[in-house]
Amino acid sequence: MAGQNTTTRTFSRPVKTAMALSVFVGCMVGVAYAAVPLYELFCRVTGFGGTTQVADVAPEAVSDRTIKVRFDGNVAAGLGWDLDPLVNEVEVPIGQVTEIFYRADNLTDQDTYGTATFNVSPPQAGIYFHKMHCFCFEMQHLEPSQGIDMGVVFFVDPEILDDPDNDRIDTITLSYTMFEADAPQEAETAALDTN
């Protein structure tokens, strides 16, 4: 139609730059929130940094070759506990499911809560070290002067024998560090006390 004015909306360069920066910042915030879960997934899949694996089923075969597994316990500052393995070392056939225990003692006169982190050294052995049960999966509650024995069920995957990079590994160290944890809400406390 004659006489009709059609206009095209255009944005100035500063407005375009501001919009692009806003989108970029939004994407970076999203990546920051996803970084921790993605890093944890990466470590679990690759065993990076000595991260152990979780298994529901034991291997079908047990090797004649054995490997030493050493145990280490530490307590972070601020938590008045002792954490020690009941045995310092075991020698187990590769592929055999084994259970050992750690002892935690509350040295304070207060109810306290702790949670454990773990790693394996040498780090490249992490992908072959499988835990079937571990106290690190649960928050621990100790009353004043109370102690508790906590189990770890594990095996070393026979696939370690097929990895030429691990030919010289004859000892793996499993290390736990117990950290202070906040007391859970009432419903969570009731669930902990029934376990």
Side-chain angles (χ1 to χ4, degrees):
M1 280 175 109
Q4 192 173 30
N5 188 5
T6 342
T7 58
T8 306
R9 176 178 265 181
T10 59
F11 294 104
S12 67
R13 179 172 281 190
V15 172
K16 287 181 183 177
T17 302
M19 288 173 53
L21 287 174
S22 296
V23 169
F24 177 75
V25 167
C27 290
M28 293 308 292
V29 168
V31 167
Y33 278 106
V36 171
L38 290 175
Y39 179 74
E40 287 177 355
L41 177 62
F42 171 76
C43 290
R44 289 223 181 269
V45 169
T46 63
F48 180 76
T51 302
T52 64
Q53 306 301 300
V54 177
D56 295 322
V57 179
E60 293 180 11
V62 175
S63 172
D64 292 337
R65 182 174 158 197
T66 62
I67 193 163
K68 289 179 188 171
V69 182
R70 292 186 179 148
F71 306 100
D72 178 50
N74 304 285
V75 178
L79 180 63
W81 290 15
D82 263 346
L83 179 67
D84 294 302
L86 295 185
V87 296
N88 291 324
E89 180 180 289
V90 294
E91 187 163 349
V92 295
I94 293 175
Q96 176 179 296
V97 175
T98 304
E99 182 174 25
I100 61 96
F101 289 88
Y102 277 75
R103 173 83 180 176
D105 289 292
N106 181 357
L107 306 177
T108 73
D109 60 356
Q110 299 176 2
D111 275 12
T112 51
Y113 294 84
T115 185
T117 62
F118 55 87
N119 72 343
V120 165
S121 62
Q124 67 268 29
I127 197 165
Y128 300 108
F129 195 93
H130 294 259
K131 289 190 288 186
M132 299 181 78
H133 174 75
C134 175
F135 60 88
C136 58
F137 301 147
E138 304 155 358
M139 183 184 297
Q140 304 299 322
H141 169 222
L142 293 179
E143 295 177 358
S145 302
Q146 180 186 12
I148 187 172
D149 292 339
M150 303 173 296
V152 179
V153 179
F154 69 91
F155 64 87
V156 178
D157 194 323
E159 288 186 11
I160 196 170
L161 300 171
D162 300 330
D163 187 342
D165 292 336
N166 292 317
D167 279 345
R168 291 193 209 122
I169 295 177
D170 60 358
T171 303
I172 296 174
T173 301
L174 175 62
S175 181
Y176 285 94
T177 301
M178 189 69 75
F179 289 89
E180 185 175 12
D182 292 331
Q185 302 301 322
E186 284 183 31
E188 294 172 358
T189 302
L192 276 174
D193 291 339
T194 57
N195 289 341

